[in-house]
Amino acid sequence: MGERKYKKRKIKETRRQLPLDVYFKNTADSKTDLTSPLIEGTLARTEKGTEMPHLDELTHHLIVVSAASLRFNSREATLAALIHDYFKPVFDFGQTRWRHLITDDELYSQILSVFKESVDVNKVANISRWHHPKKEKDCNEICQIEQSGALSGLEVSIPFSLPKSQEFIITEHLRVAGPYRMFLLAHLRRKLIKMLSKKYSERFQEILGVSRIRYEYRPLNGVSTIEEAAEYIKKENWKIEIDNETMIIPLPSRFHRDLFYFEYYEESNVVIDVDENAKKIRGIRIPFGAALSTVYLTSSRDAYLLYVGAGFEQLALKDVIKEMLNDLKKMLDDYDLKKKKQKNEKQKSAFEQIDLDKIASSLTGRFNNDEACIFCGEPGEPIAENEKISSVLEDKFTDRWLLLRNAGVACPACKLGFEIEELFRPRRRLDEYIPYEALVSNVKILHDVPIFKETEFIRSISSKIWLELLSEIYYSLYFNKTKDSKEGSIKKEEEWIIKFFLNPTVLVYPYEIEITPQAMTVALGYQKKKFILQSGLHSSVVFPGNEKDLLPEEFLVLRKVYASNPELGIYLLQKLRDVYSPIFGVPEVKIKGGGSRARKRKH
């Protein structure tokens, strides 16, 4: 038997025979750790009755439930929601049930001691303890949320059921036919995340006096029951802490080797905290808005903006558009200031002719007219000579022959998309994408844990959001800076980072999941070409490229080559850039002395 095959068989045997803690100890010192995870969390929940696992991470589940609980305007309900599955990472199974409730009053008092003057600790304990009632009439606040459509939808509910506003879910239906409308959707999504992050943060501040929530998975040694975990926590005096408006919640984990954290906060960007000495990721900062909202595409013409209701009024689409335009104006000003350029007439009059009510009604399908837009086919209106979009009627417009059928008519939404393009095209590329659900490429059960026998998952709306977050986290790697390199580049001494790009893996104990990130590109523009001629909707693209898009199937091949030959990592990244010329997401490799060992061997 070959040495490689023998090693693989021994690893499989080790996983079957050894306790999980021992397995980790034996594998932690591997010289080539190809599976350093992007995140290290815990599976959120199982479906009642079938016990099939939901594809979601525990802290994400907790933040969804706690955000929804803000509707009750109750400190006790929200605190209970934040810790209601506190002991799940211990993986204690009594009579095949996943035991996860705190039953020790002394432990509640200790964990919540920072709130002892402002909340009824006994009430928090009761809401948390009884969120799985035996009788429907006893369903409390957490029970109501968990039985809502936000969390309990089966996988078939995503493709076949249209989302609708309900008690804990807010939706906004949009018509997105045509590239200009998709272009606006990408901008609206970004602005919505920013506005929602601020709203959720304000609500947590109102109810609990904090604006950020940080969960820290902390390893427990030699613990296998929640009673043992409780004794350990009391001995070590673990408790919820408040640090500069950040609530820090320690989660006891039987399977984590080191501390790993998820922080949900009020900004708009995913931030990856890399431990350069340990050569691993130690935590992720996630915007509230990204964790609690999604763009739900139901067809080539329809989409829904969907987010968790937290007790604030539904954001008016008109207000989101207005804030989006303010941001775009600032981007133009900042760019010109950086380049020391003077404002031209187009920029001075940017968006002056915009009618927000018309754009909102056009995007939501409530704008009525018998004439069709030349760009998207939705109801439009005649193009006036003084409008920015009137240039499409001039002979120089590249695709004038396509417009003859409905020449002179455009919808308010496409007019806005056109103006944004005209303003930005001379200044910067128009590359816009929407993170799409990451594909689950391969699933391994790390240990024989009761209940968890399945490698197929039930999915809910919350699962959809989480998979999109995984893609967003992956693409955020590109923008992550280290002390030795600038944004979007890797030096030879940082070769260890390559494993995150070529073999993206997540741990949601007891599963190890290989993922393939996806992005839906909605605008690929160039200064000398109309973006509308260059864009397309590609929901299954890993990297959009100037030469060629990298598809998920091709990414899997690349991953296999890397897994078999990890020393080729830098060379594979270089080849990926050479062959596909990715528009974003693949760092430039900077190597002193003419190339890596892999490249030298090739020559």
Side-chain angles (χ1 to χ4, degrees):
M1 182 183 296
E3 183 179 354
R4 184 174 293 167
K5 288 184 178 179
Y6 175 76
K7 286 182 177 179
K8 285 184 178 179
R9 193 186 75 179
K10 291 301 291 180
I11 289 173
K12 288 181 180 178
E13 290 176 354
T14 299
R15 286 180 176 174
R16 283 197 299 265
Q17 295 171 3
L18 296 179
L20 192 58
D21 295 345
V22 178
Y23 162 68
F24 279 151
K25 184 176 185 297
N26 289 347
T27 58
D29 298 327
S30 172
K31 291 182 180 179
T32 306
D33 183 6
L34 296 179
T35 58
S36 294
L38 287 170
I39 68 163
E40 197 169 344
T42 297
L43 191 78
R45 64 196 295 251
T46 55
E47 180 65 14
K48 185 178 180 180
T50 66
E51 301 299 341
M52 287 187 68
H54 268 264
L55 189 54
D56 198 3
E57 197 278 324
L58 177 61
T59 69
H60 181 238
H61 169 77
L62 292 171
I63 212 69
V64 169
V65 175
S66 59
S69 76
L70 293 168
R71 283 176 54 89
F72 298 112
N73 291 309
S74 164
R75 292 180 179 179
E76 287 79 10
T78 299
L79 271 175
L82 284 166
I83 62 172
H84 72 277
D85 287 339
Y86 187 77
F87 276 126
K88 274 191 173 177
V90 177
F91 286 94
D92 178 5
F93 290 87
Q95 298 177 346
T96 72
R97 290 186 305 107
W98 194 356
R99 303 176 66 219
H100 58 275
L101 308 178
I102 303 174
T103 57
D104 187 331
D105 289 336
E106 184 182 342
L107 186 60
Y108 270 113
S109 297
Q110 177 181 308
I111 291 174
L112 299 171
S113 58
V114 70
F115 295 103
K116 64 182 179 181
E117 302 298 331
S118 58
V119 303
D120 183 340
V121 174
N122 289 330
K123 187 175 179 180
V124 175
N126 286 329
I127 296 173
S128 179
R129 279 187 189 128
W130 305 112
H131 71 273
H132 293 307
K134 294 181 179 180
K135 297 180 179 179
E136 189 67 28
K137 65 181 181 68
D138 296 326
C139 188
N140 65 20
E141 293 93 333
I142 298 174
C143 169
Q144 292 172 39
I145 296 166
E146 292 197 328
Q147 290 186 9
S148 72
L151 301 169
S152 63
L154 299 180
E155 185 172 10
V156 293
S157 71
I158 288 184
F160 297 119
S161 293
L162 295 178
K164 58 184 179 181
S165 293
Q166 49 185 295
E167 190 175 5
F168 300 104
I169 291 292
I170 296 171
T171 63
E172 180 81 67
H173 173 235
L174 302 179
R175 298 285 285 173
V176 292
Y180 278 135
R181 285 173 175 260
M182 287 300 296
F183 181 53
L184 290 181
L185 180 64
H187 284 289
L188 286 171
R189 173 191 170 273
R190 186 182 302 115
K191 188 64 216 180
L192 182 69
I193 286 174
K194 189 173 182 179
M195 293 175 72
L196 285 175
S197 291
K198 185 178 179 181
K199 286 286 187 182
Y200 290 123
S201 179
E202 288 173 351
R203 287 293 288 147
F204 276 111
Q205 181 70 44
E206 288 173 22
I207 303 301
L208 294 177
V210 297
S211 55
R212 294 171 290 275
I213 307 295
R214 173 170 167 147
Y215 286 101
E216 292 184 351
Y217 284 108
R218 299 181 183 178
L220 297 176
N221 297 316
V223 168
S224 58
T225 68
I226 62 174
E227 287 79 15
E228 292 172 348
E231 290 304 314
Y232 182 92
I233 290 167
K234 286 191 284 187
K235 179 182 177 183
E236 297 298 321
N237 198 30
W238 288 13
K239 60 184 69 174
I240 293 174
E241 299 175 5
I242 308 294
D243 181 12
N244 193 26
E245 295 192 4
T246 300
M247 181 186 293
I248 302 171
I249 303 174
L251 292 177
S253 177
R254 179 181 175 186
F255 294 159
H256 278 73
R257 291 171 284 177
D258 302 295
L259 185 147
F260 192 95
Y261 72 85
F262 292 89
E263 183 175 315
Y264 299 90
Y265 78 130
E266 72 278 11
E267 299 297 331
S268 56
N269 296 317
V270 170
V271 178
I272 301 173
D273 183 2
V274 177
D275 185 338
E276 296 179 42
N277 293 324
K279 298 182 177 180
K280 61 178 292 184
I281 294 172
R282 61 188 163 204
I284 305 287
R285 302 185 75 203
I286 300 171
F288 280 121
L292 298 167
S293 70
T294 184
V295 171
Y296 190 117
L297 290 166
T298 58
S299 70
S300 61
R301 304 186 71 88
D302 294 281
Y304 291 82
L305 298 176
L306 182 151
Y307 54 95
V308 176
F312 52 80
E313 290 187 7
Q314 179 170 352
L315 298 179
L317 182 60
K318 186 172 73 171
D319 293 338
V320 181
I321 296 170
K322 182 180 179 180
E323 292 298 317
M324 176 192 82
L325 295 181
N326 288 338
D327 283 357
L328 289 172
K329 283 181 183 178
K330 187 176 185 306
M331 286 171 63
L332 286 170
D333 292 342
D334 291 347
Y335 181 88
D336 287 344
L337 184 64
K338 183 178 179 181
K339 298 294 183 180
K340 298 181 180 179
K341 289 185 177 183
Q342 295 294 319
K343 287 186 179 182
N344 58 28
E345 289 305 314
K346 278 187 178 181
Q347 187 173 343
K348 288 179 181 178
S349 61
F351 311 128
E352 284 184 357
Q353 298 171 325
I354 294 301
D355 186 326
L356 294 175
D357 288 314
K358 275 189 176 182
I359 294 168
S361 65
S362 181
L363 280 170
T364 55
R366 292 191 288 266
F367 184 80
N368 295 314
N369 204 316
D370 294 333
E371 298 180 281
C373 173
I374 56 179
F375 296 111
C376 68
E378 291 290 310
E381 61 185 0
I383 298 172
E385 289 184 4
N386 64 336
E387 289 186 293
K388 304 286 175 61
I389 198 171
S390 62
S391 63
V392 303
L393 302 178
E394 299 173 8
D395 290 337
K396 67 179 182 179
F397 189 74
T398 313
D399 256 9
R400 181 171 172 76
W401 65 274
L402 287 175
L403 311 179
L404 293 178
R405 182 180 175 186
N406 297 304
V409 177
C411 70
C414 288
K415 285 181 181 181
L416 176 58
F418 182 93
E419 182 173 351
I420 294 171
E421 175 191 9
E422 287 293 286
L423 287 166
F424 278 87
R425 187 160 52 89
R427 291 170 173 79
R428 50 170 284 188
R429 285 186 55 142
L430 291 166
D431 298 328
E432 293 291 339
Y433 74 95
I434 298 174
Y436 205 65
E437 297 166 53
L439 294 173
V440 175
S441 305
N442 190 35
V443 180
K444 299 175 184 176
I445 300 178
L446 291 178
H447 190 62
D448 185 17
V449 177
I451 293 181
F452 297 105
K453 308 292 183 182
E454 299 283 344
T455 55
E456 296 295 329
F457 299 95
I458 286 175
R459 301 191 185 192
S460 64
I461 293 172
S462 188
S463 307
K464 179 184 187 302
I465 297 173
W466 185 68
L467 289 169
E468 290 169 352
L469 274 175
L470 293 183
S471 288
E472 186 71 87
I473 289 168
Y474 178 87
Y475 293 124
S476 296
L477 283 169
Y478 176 76
F479 301 104
N480 206 66
K481 296 179 182 179
T482 65
K483 63 182 180 183
D484 296 318
S485 70
K486 65 178 184 179
E487 180 181 287
S489 67
I490 289 180
K491 291 184 178 181
K492 180 66 178 73
E493 55 268 30
E494 298 173 317
E495 192 170 355
W496 58 273
I497 296 175
I498 292 172
K499 60 194 171 187
F500 298 119
F501 286 97
L502 297 181
N503 190 41
T505 303
V506 299
L507 293 181
V508 278
Y509 294 116
Y511 296 98
E512 177 186 270
I513 303 174
E514 292 178 0
I515 64 163
T516 300
Q518 293 190 109
M520 181 170 54
T521 56
V522 298
L524 304 178
Y526 306 86
Q527 289 185 350
K528 296 182 179 181
K529 294 183 180 180
K530 295 293 293 180
F531 125 77
I532 195 170
L533 306 179
Q534 299 296 317
S535 65
L537 306 183
H538 307 290
S539 59
S540 58
V541 170
V542 180
F543 298 115
N546 285 314
E547 301 296 331
K548 182 181 183 296
D549 292 337
L550 178 65
L551 303 178
E553 297 81 4
E554 296 169 304
F555 185 78
L556 291 179
V557 173
L558 193 70
R559 171 182 241 144
K560 288 179 181 178
V561 174
Y562 175 65
S564 301
N565 305 276
E567 70 278 5
L568 297 179
I570 283 183
Y571 172 66
L572 289 172
L573 274 187
Q574 287 175 318
K575 289 298 290 182
L576 199 158
R577 288 181 65 90
D578 292 343
V579 173
Y580 294 91
S581 187
I583 291 168
F584 65 84
V586 180
E588 180 183 1
V589 180
K590 295 189 174 182
I591 306 171
K592 296 178 181 178
S596 67
R597 290 172 295 180
R599 182 175 284 277
K600 288 177 181 178
R601 281 199 298 272
K602 184 175 177 66
H603 292 312

